[in-house]
Amino acid sequence: MNAPSEMSFDEMLRVKLEVLRREHRDLDEAIEALEQNGRPDMLTIRRLKKQKLALKDQITTVEDRLIPDIIA
């Protein structure tokens, strides 16, 4: 049996998923704050949106690993 301090692979994926989701939310809030600025820096916003999209891809990958495919 695993020692209490050791995490299973699924548990590690769940932690990683939560971290990625938090980072995604943080980027969303940062983008919104920049857009509400009187003269937003469009280059910075574009870069943040690109990072956000990359995080979304990572989130999808981790979710796919956690949720097995069900073949009907």
Side-chain angles (χ1 to χ4, degrees):
M1 183 168 247
N2 291 343
S5 63
E6 293 180 13
M7 294 175 65
S8 71
F9 184 70
D10 281 357
E11 290 171 330
M12 287 189 292
L13 285 177
R14 289 181 204 289
V15 169
K16 180 175 179 150
L17 183 60
E18 185 55 38
V19 169
L20 291 171
R21 286 178 174 161
R22 190 175 313 126
E23 289 177 15
H24 190 267
R25 279 192 306 270
D26 291 346
L27 279 175
D28 199 33
E29 291 171 5
I31 291 167
E32 185 177 330
L34 285 171
E35 289 176 338
Q36 290 178 357
N37 189 1
R39 296 182 57 151
D41 180 0
M42 295 310 293
L43 180 60
T44 301
I45 291 173
R46 194 174 318 130
R47 287 178 179 162
L48 291 176
K49 285 183 176 184
K50 192 171 183 178
Q51 288 177 356
K52 187 178 162 192
L53 186 58
L55 282 173
K56 184 63 177 171
D57 289 342
Q58 290 177 21
I59 289 169
T60 301
T61 300
V62 173
E63 286 174 340
D64 288 346
R65 288 176 137 183
L66 284 170
I67 302 169
D69 289 337
I70 299 174
I71 300 172

